[in-house]
Amino acid sequence: MSHSATLALQSVLQTPTDSNRLRIFSGSANLPLANEVARYLGMDLGPMIRKQFADGEMYIQVQESIRGCDVYLIQPSCRPVNDHLMELLIMVDACRRASARQITAVIPYYGYARADRKTAGRESITAKLAANLVTKAGANRVLAMDLHSAQIQGYFDIPCDHVYGSPVIIDYLLSKNLEDIVVVSPDVGGVARARAFAKKLDDAPLAIIDKRRQAHNVAEVMNVIGEVHGKTAILVDDMIDTAGTLQEGARLLKKEGAKAVYACATHPVFSGPAVERLSSGLFEEVIVTNTIPVPHDRQFKELTVLTVANLLGETIWRIHEESSVSSMFR
């Protein structure tokens, strides 16, 4: 080998390549959020061909070399859940076959999470099934936000980084300088989430709504545990689906003397009558994040959508640099 060739090879070997290995791609579920994340990282989204055949089958092709790269695929499994989940699996498979060094599935909203255990005979645990699919497709790790229950992290047989949208919502609430705040959990299962939320909200007091569910998406509210009279109640949940729980909770809080009710959630699923219930005059404001895109016809005047792009972008960078993620939330 010539002297010049040897020097060229040494130069290549000594050049740090880690900063050049990062690639961000997005599925079709939430392109605006993915673009914001890419801007935070000072990058553009990677080019990708995405199309459907006449029978609905999906075709995906990555349009640049990702050999040896750390690839992050941003795709919430929101409505239509099956299509977006399948799209994520195909993206992962395409990147694996393109010899990506590491593939991280960034799932801002993890669908099928509500069936996380068996509550009756002959039920499927779809939270585990979806985790198996992502893993078998070839993902090396998962980045998820506000999973429906913490134990879902253990359903993945690969590393799972779990981050929270609450810091974004809490910063917004603190900027409003609300007085006489009480944080309210809409059910007993959400007490841990509400307690952590209240602690970061200047150690606000906590109240709990005792709720007994008769069927899926049907909630019956019974009573309030805690003092809410004359206070500004902040209902905290991980997602808003049909908003039946929050509507009944807000009615009860008003009946118990709360002077104002705010609803906060990370994921605006907004199914069925959700918009009608949330815009019925019971809430001063409904605060959500953009983990799921809210179509124009599902927006209303009480709605505030906060972005989690910077939080996701910072998390991606820390994972890529192999630094602490948990320190972001201390």
Side-chain angles (χ1 to χ4, degrees):
M1 184 181 291
S2 68
H3 179 66
S4 60
T6 302
L7 290 177
L9 178 59
Q10 289 176 344
S11 175
V12 170
L13 292 174
Q14 291 170 2
T15 301
T17 58
D18 283 350
S19 60
N20 299 323
R21 281 187 178 149
L22 179 61
R23 296 288 188 276
I24 306 290
F25 293 90
S26 175
S28 61
N30 199 342
L31 274 168
L33 173 61
N35 275 308
E36 285 187 55
V37 171
R39 280 198 299 271
Y40 177 85
L41 292 167
M43 304 174 60
D44 294 321
L45 290 177
M48 180 180 288
I49 290 178
R50 182 189 305 105
K51 63 183 181 181
Q52 281 189 314
F53 294 104
D55 64 352
E57 287 185 12
M58 197 169 299
Y59 173 85
I60 286 174
Q61 182 189 30
V62 178
Q63 291 289 287
E64 66 178 5
S65 174
I66 55 172
R67 186 180 298 275
C69 292
D70 293 340
V71 176
Y72 294 80
L73 305 174
I74 302 175
Q75 175 83 334
S77 48
C78 52
R79 184 189 300 111
V81 180
N82 296 338
D83 288 353
H84 287 151
L85 176 58
M86 193 65 199
E87 183 180 358
L88 173 61
L89 300 178
I90 297 173
M91 289 166 61
V92 170
D93 184 69
C95 291
R96 178 175 63 87
R97 296 177 187 278
S99 300
R101 187 174 78 97
Q102 179 170 270
I103 303 167
T104 301
V106 182
I107 312 176
Y109 170 70
Y110 182 66
Y112 283 115
R114 282 170 283 192
D116 57 6
R117 63 195 185 281
K118 288 187 70 171
T119 58
R122 300 171 297 282
E123 283 186 336
S124 172
I125 304 177
T126 53
K128 173 59 176 169
L129 173 62
N132 286 345
L133 291 171
V134 172
T135 304
K136 292 298 183 182
N140 300 110
R141 69 187 307 126
V142 166
L143 168 57
M145 176 169 281
D146 272 319
L147 293 168
H148 189 59
S149 56
Q151 74 254 24
I152 293 174
Q153 296 173 72
Y155 295 176
F156 291 94
D157 297 325
I158 53 179
C160 177
D161 292 291
H162 186 209
V163 297
Y164 304 92
S166 56
V168 175
I169 298 174
I170 287 168
D171 286 347
Y172 175 77
L173 288 171
L174 289 173
S175 72
K176 295 178 71 69
N177 296 315
L178 300 174
E179 298 180 351
D180 298 322
I181 290 174
V182 58
V183 175
V184 183
S185 173
D187 53 35
V188 175
V191 171
R193 180 186 300 108
R195 185 183 291 116
F197 195 96
K199 185 176 181 180
K200 293 179 181 178
L201 204 59
D202 295 333
D203 276 326
L206 180 68
I208 304 166
I209 293 178
D210 176 30
K211 177 191 71 177
R212 299 183 185 179
R213 188 179 295 277
Q214 295 177 323
H216 292 297
N217 293 329
V218 177
E220 180 181 354
V221 175
M222 303 301 290
N223 51 54
V224 178
I225 303 170
E227 181 58 48
V228 299
H229 184 79
K231 295 183 179 293
T232 299
I234 300 177
L235 274 164
V236 178
D237 213 341
D238 63 318
M239 70 171 73
I240 302 176
D241 189 0
T242 62
T245 295
L246 290 181
Q247 181 188 46
E248 293 304 316
R251 283 176 178 164
L252 183 61
L253 291 170
K254 288 288 185 74
K255 181 180 177 181
E256 294 293 324
K259 63 182 181 182
V261 179
Y262 289 76
C264 299
T266 302
H267 309 301
V269 180
F270 290 176
S271 302
V275 171
E276 179 183 347
R277 290 169 172 174
L278 294 170
S279 60
S280 61
L282 290 169
F283 301 95
E284 294 291 319
E285 194 171 2
V286 178
I287 304 163
V288 298
T289 75
N290 62 342
T291 57
I292 297 173
V294 181
H296 184 72
D297 62 353
R298 307 297 286 173
Q299 297 178 15
F300 47 97
K301 66 183 180 68
E302 293 90 352
L303 180 67
T304 298
V305 181
L306 307 175
T307 182
V308 292
N310 291 1
L311 193 152
L312 285 174
E314 179 64 23
T315 305
I316 288 171
W317 182 250
R318 289 180 180 227
I319 293 171
H320 182 65
E321 290 292 297
E322 299 181 341
S323 59
S324 173
V325 171
S326 60
S327 61
M328 295 169 56
F329 301 95
R330 291 173 186 163

